[in-house]
Amino acid sequence: MAVSAVSARYVEALFAVASRQGLLEALRRDVESLSAEFQSPKVRQVLSDPRRPAASRLALLAPVLGRTNPLTQKFVRLLFSKQREAVLFELGEAFRAKLLSEAGAVEGLVESARPLAVPELERLALSLGKRLGKRVHLDNQVVPTLVGGFRVRVGSQMLDQSVSGRLERLRNQLLKAPLAQPR
């Protein structure tokens, strides 16, 4: 899931404050708890309903917020006061991306025609990590239409080594090739 620029900025600020105050671990637990809460379709529907007053939407979160760090509570209230409640839906993903970035790591997705074994994923992650200059964590998703090979997405970059990707590149080269002129 891509994180919006607005969510990334808010999380960046929250991360900086938590880091200065030595609250990163507490914040990580709070973000996990809140993210789990936001997975509920009912909660998402209520929080994103503009017809409900912000105070009543914030009250819905009171039981969960009561168990969080005061910094987390202030952050959530700030989002409501700035009418940026939508940031809450991306909070977990944005915070996780920030943690990875701080650790010099990135996440990626490997699409393959068959499930890849852990050693294969590790070799691929190591190879990509050398190219990107970062530690790479890869998940595997099976996409039978690839026929063979793999396709990797890391951030905004994609490496397509699938049979279908190679065939598509070959097709494009053939279409661009000049035709021989008749004599």
Side-chain angles (χ1 to χ4, degrees):
M1 173 179 161
V3 175
S4 72
V6 171
S7 296
R9 279 195 306 269
Y10 273 96
V11 167
E12 180 83 30
L14 177 63
F15 194 92
V17 171
S19 185
R20 278 195 307 270
Q21 295 180 5
L23 297 172
L24 277 178
E25 184 55 32
L27 189 65
R28 185 192 59 75
R29 286 190 306 270
D30 290 351
V31 166
E32 284 177 4
S33 173
L34 287 172
S35 293
E37 187 73 20
F38 302 142
Q39 296 305 310
S40 162
K42 180 182 176 190
V43 171
R44 291 178 77 89
Q45 181 183 2
V46 170
L47 285 179
S48 59
D49 185 356
R51 296 171 296 175
R52 287 183 178 245
S56 72
R57 289 183 281 149
L58 185 57
L60 175 71
L61 296 176
V64 176
L65 284 177
R67 298 186 303 264
T68 63
N69 186 284
L71 177 62
T72 306
Q73 294 172 16
K74 286 180 188 177
F75 178 74
V76 172
R77 285 195 298 272
L78 172 72
L79 292 175
F80 274 88
S81 72
K82 299 287 185 182
Q83 297 178 340
R84 295 289 190 181
E85 300 91 342
V87 170
L88 292 171
F89 301 130
E90 297 179 335
L91 182 62
E93 187 68 30
F95 192 78
R96 184 171 178 193
K98 180 64 179 163
L99 281 172
L100 284 169
S101 172
E102 289 294 312
V106 291
E107 284 185 314
L109 177 66
V110 179
E111 296 174 335
S112 58
R114 62 170 177 78
L116 297 178
V118 173
E120 292 173 306
L121 279 174
E122 289 172 351
R123 278 194 310 273
L124 188 54
L126 188 59
S127 174
L128 287 170
K130 287 177 184 175
R131 273 178 131 175
L132 298 173
K134 297 181 177 189
R135 224 174 45 245
V136 177
H137 302 276
L138 293 174
D139 288 324
N140 184 216
Q141 179 180 5
V142 176
V143 180
T145 57
L146 291 179
V147 181
F150 61 88
R151 185 169 43 214
V152 182
R153 285 190 179 98
V154 176
S156 62
Q157 298 178 353
M158 185 171 88
L159 172 65
D160 190 349
Q161 294 297 315
S162 66
V163 171
S164 58
R166 289 177 186 178
L167 289 172
E168 182 62 28
R169 286 191 296 278
L170 180 59
R171 177 184 175 279
N172 288 337
Q173 287 175 348
L174 289 172
L175 289 173
K176 290 178 184 175
L179 296 175
Q181 299 295 324
R183 294 184 181 185

